[in-house]
Amino acid sequence: GYSASRLENGSWVSVPAYTQNFLYTENVNAAFAIFGLEPGDWSGQVGLRAENTNIRTEIEGTGQVNEQNYIGLFPSVFLNYSFNEQQSVQISYSRRLSRPWSRSLLPSLDFEDSRNQWTGNPNLTPEYSNSYEAGYLHYWESGSLLTSFYYRHRTDVIQDITVIENSPTDPQQNIRVRRPINFATEKSWGIELSADQEIANSLSLNGSANLFRSDTEGSYTPQGAQTRIYDSRSENFRARMRVQWEIADGFNYQASVRYRGPNDTPQGTRSGMTMMDTGLAKDFMDGKAKISALAYRSGRSES
């Protein structure tokens, strides 16, 4: 539940527009089958997963109920050919879904800023994606490298859209409201490199880099307004690096850096983002207990 009050004439008064009790129920039932085969230097696997999802949301104060009940079939195919013990190529296809986070379904307004607010959307449905990948994998004594080319097609993509609406507490005042919607169709293709290397017996390094292009096509019809078309074309770059070091028996150090490059969005431009973290961990009682110390830093801007 969410409750908000404001001070009026020395007394705290509840604000009904921001006071809600939200009930959320989700049931997922699934069945899957997998068939594998390894003829000679070839290996393959075919799978099929069936899912039934039932979601019910309710706002007790208003009696507003939203229900979703959907069934999906999700096939997958994987094929691998080994040239030798160190080198192989692989191709794959998979269909997946990504359900919206329960917080995104909560239709309450964010009360932190009276002029710029965020609210969830109980009508959100899952995103669906079809992914095609082809890769080359190379092992050596102390590491490996995977090079992958991919194409992904997503539908019902969820993105936040910002619109101008009347304030729920003052109809004469306009506010900016940001809410998630099933907004668009997205096509992306690119190349991804993933590698790991053991530098010493107790020191290892792994990382990945992803360079891709994405095309997004979507539209949105605000209440009482004309349909707006939002398209974007963007080149993207993302990278990650992590180092792990076992300083002594049961005493470990880890540090990582993640970077997401700037990219265009349907309603603006998102600047690059860098995240760094580092930490020490010590095991006790033969690994049954652990003490960790972590430090974290991130930098981000958006327009």
Side-chain angles (χ1 to χ4, degrees):
Y2 288 79
S3 178
S5 301
R6 61 187 173 196
L7 189 62
E8 294 183 2
N9 300 322
S11 301
W12 288 101
V13 179
S14 176
V15 184
Y18 301 97
T19 302
Q20 298 175 351
N21 190 23
F22 181 72
L23 303 178
Y24 176 83
T25 304
E26 177 181 306
N27 292 304
V28 179
N29 299 290
F32 61 90
I34 298 175
F35 174 74
L37 192 63
E38 296 186 13
D41 296 328
W42 292 89
S43 62
Q45 181 176 285
V46 178
L48 179 64
R49 188 178 80 258
E51 286 191 6
N52 170 248
T53 301
N54 183 274
I55 296 176
R56 185 180 189 274
T57 63
E58 178 182 356
I59 303 175
E60 283 194 331
T62 63
Q64 178 184 345
V65 175
N66 290 81
E67 292 186 297
Q68 297 184 32
N69 192 339
Y70 48 87
I71 297 175
L73 294 176
F74 305 95
S76 61
V77 180
F78 175 83
L79 184 63
N80 181 86
Y81 177 77
S82 298
F83 298 103
N84 48 52
E85 293 184 355
Q86 288 77 38
Q87 302 177 75
S88 63
V89 292
Q90 49 195 228
I91 58 174
S92 66
Y93 161 77
S94 63
R95 173 174 166 80
R96 299 187 179 97
L97 88 164
S98 177
R99 298 183 186 86
W101 180 36
S102 59
R103 177 68 178 84
S104 299
L105 300 173
L106 179 61
S108 65
L109 289 167
D110 189 335
F111 194 68
E112 294 181 2
D113 187 337
S114 60
R115 293 185 178 272
N116 297 276
Q117 300 182 349
W118 183 92
T119 181
N121 179 3
N123 296 310
L124 285 180
T125 58
E127 298 178 351
Y128 292 89
S129 65
N130 291 277
S131 300
Y132 305 83
E133 296 187 25
Y136 169 74
L137 179 60
H138 187 190
Y139 287 103
W140 56 89
E141 185 176 352
S142 58
S144 66
L145 172 66
L146 173 63
T147 305
S148 300
F149 300 89
Y150 64 86
Y151 170 78
R152 293 170 188 156
H153 181 263
R154 295 197 299 158
T155 57
D156 296 328
V157 176
I158 298 173
Q159 289 194 10
D160 285 352
I161 294 295
T162 301
V163 295
I164 304 299
E165 296 183 358
N166 292 331
S167 169
T169 57
D170 183 3
Q172 303 302 317
Q173 178 182 333
N174 290 331
I175 61 174
R176 297 174 73 245
V177 178
R178 185 167 55 94
R179 62 168 53 86
I181 65 170
N182 292 102
F183 172 75
T185 297
E186 181 186 86
K187 301 175 183 178
S188 60
W189 54 94
I191 179 172
E192 184 171 11
L193 304 175
S194 300
D196 63 87
Q197 176 66 50
E198 184 180 352
I199 301 174
N201 291 334
S202 57
L203 181 62
S204 63
L205 184 69
N206 63 71
S208 64
N210 187 3
L211 178 63
F212 64 99
R213 174 187 171 90
S214 62
D215 292 353
T216 303
E217 298 178 354
S219 62
Y220 177 57
T221 307
Q223 186 174 3
Q226 294 183 342
T227 298
R228 302 175 184 176
I229 304 299
Y230 297 102
D231 294 346
S232 67
R233 306 289 184 269
S234 180
E235 285 74 35
N236 302 267
F237 178 73
R238 297 176 183 177
R240 176 187 60 83
M241 184 72 70
R242 183 176 65 178
V243 59
Q244 294 175 294
W245 181 23
E246 186 177 4
I247 301 173
D249 186 26
F251 191 57
N252 300 282
Y253 170 78
Q254 177 177 300
S256 67
V257 178
R258 285 168 288 173
Y259 173 75
R260 187 193 67 196
N263 66 291
D264 296 329
T265 68
Q267 284 192 302
T269 299
R270 182 181 290 117
S271 299
M273 179 177 183
T274 302
M275 295 173 286
M276 298 178 287
D277 61 75
T278 183
L280 290 168
K282 182 67 174 72
D283 293 333
F284 297 93
M285 302 172 59
D286 296 327
K288 296 179 182 178
K290 177 182 291 188
I291 296 179
S292 302
L294 302 174
Y296 175 82
R297 181 180 181 183
S298 67
R300 175 181 180 178
S301 60
E302 190 168 329
S303 60

